[in-house]
């Protein structure tokens, strides 16, 4: 069952009345992304023959979910560029340098959603603006709702998993090196991966 699915009852031969599943409607609210149980990663082709994977260890964000109307849901994420980690210190230092992210002058990568839609079942697409360095361009992220649960500490959690593909050159990340046999050291295409666990904010007492 999708996060925003609706049940339809036929009132008569000409009129359909939509009713909202109470369990799904109950998920409506503000959520804080839990960085300890979430990951924002990337994969890029290296030397035309293999993949290099990395992630950003420090990030924060919020989700606003509407269990009755997915188009009213939204997301905001801030990523600390200096936290990039590919498992190789020298490579991570190069990524932080002015050749790539220029973390000293542009310490944050941000995403601000502008729209959301249900694609069917548990699949959703959220669109928004991704800013890297001083460039802001649109990005669409396809996500799958992984479910909701209450953890052992009483936190109400939701989970989403998904990804997107970008051309890093669209954000001014153009550094490269030509290979002797042809091709380049680093592919332009980058695959982004998101695995998000978010905790629902407590509702203030009336």
């Amino acid at each position: 069952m999708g996060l925003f699915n609706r049940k339809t009852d036929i009132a008569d031969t000409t009129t359909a009345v939509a009713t909202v599943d109470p369990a799904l409607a109950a998920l409506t609210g503000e959520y804080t992304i839990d960085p300890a149980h979430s990951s924002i990663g990337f994969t890029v082709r290296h030397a035309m023959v293999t993949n290099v994977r990395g992630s950003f260890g420090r990030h924060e964000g919020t989700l606003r979910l509407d269990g009755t109307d997915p188009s009213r849901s939204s997301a905001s994420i801030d990523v600390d560029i200096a936290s990039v980690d590919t498992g190789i210190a020298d490579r991570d230092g190069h990524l932080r340098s002015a050749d790539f992210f220029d973390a000293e002058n542009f310490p944050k990568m941000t995403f601000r959603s502008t729209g959301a839609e249900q694609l069917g079942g548990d699949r959703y697409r959220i669109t928004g603006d991704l800013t890297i360095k001083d460039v802001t361009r649109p990005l669409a992220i396809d996500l799958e709702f992984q479910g909701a649960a209450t953890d052992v500490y009483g936190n109400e959690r939701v989970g989403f998993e998904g990804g997107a593909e970008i051309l890093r050159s669209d954000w001014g990340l153009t550094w490269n090196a030509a290979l002797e046999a042809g091709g380049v050291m680093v592919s332009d295409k980058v695959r982004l991966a998101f695995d998000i666990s978010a905790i629902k904010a407590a509702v203030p007492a009336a």
Side-chain angles (χ1 to χ4, degrees):
M1 179 181 293
L3 175 59
F4 302 115
N5 280 354
R6 297 186 179 205
K7 297 178 179 179
T8 301
D9 300 318
I10 305 301
D12 54 38
T13 59
T14 59
T15 305
V17 178
T19 60
V20 178
D21 185 330
L24 299 179
L27 298 180
T28 297
E30 302 281 345
Y31 292 77
T32 299
I33 293 175
D34 176 8
H37 298 94
S38 302
S39 65
I40 298 176
F42 59 89
T43 303
V44 63
R45 199 76 172 160
H46 176 262
M48 310 294 290
V49 298
T50 190
N51 290 318
V52 169
R53 293 175 173 83
S55 62
F56 294 93
R58 294 190 297 274
H59 50 82
E60 60 184 13
T62 57
L63 306 177
R64 177 178 296 168
L65 302 183
D66 191 315
T68 63
D69 183 356
S71 68
R72 296 172 61 185
S73 298
S74 62
S76 174
I77 301 174
D78 292 348
V79 176
D80 186 346
I81 291 295
S83 70
V84 65
D85 181 8
T86 65
I88 303 295
D90 287 347
R91 182 166 58 207
D92 296 342
H94 192 196
L95 290 172
R96 296 183 190 105
S97 77
D99 281 345
F100 285 96
F101 290 111
D102 194 4
E104 183 176 353
N105 292 306
F106 303 98
K108 298 291 184 181
M109 173 171 60
T110 65
F111 177 78
R112 300 291 184 266
S113 69
T114 56
E117 62 179 315
Q118 184 175 11
L119 301 178
D122 290 325
R123 297 181 302 110
Y124 299 86
R125 176 170 295 152
I126 186 164
T127 54
D129 294 325
L130 175 66
T131 299
I132 302 175
K133 297 173 77 171
D134 56 351
V135 179
T136 299
R137 293 182 63 88
L139 176 68
I141 304 172
D142 287 349
L143 297 166
E144 184 172 353
F145 177 55
Q146 298 296 300
T150 301
D151 66 23
V152 296
Y153 302 104
N155 298 311
E156 296 180 58
R157 291 179 178 268
V158 294
F160 292 90
E161 183 177 1
E165 287 190 352
I166 66 171
L167 298 179
R168 60 188 180 91
S169 59
D170 286 344
W171 281 267
L173 304 178
T174 57
W175 183 92
N176 228 320
L179 300 176
E180 184 176 342
V184 292
M185 181 69 73
V186 185
S187 67
D188 193 18
K189 180 187 294 184
V190 180
R191 295 195 298 272
L192 304 177
F194 304 89
D195 201 344
I196 301 298
S197 178
I199 298 173
K200 191 174 187 179
V203 177

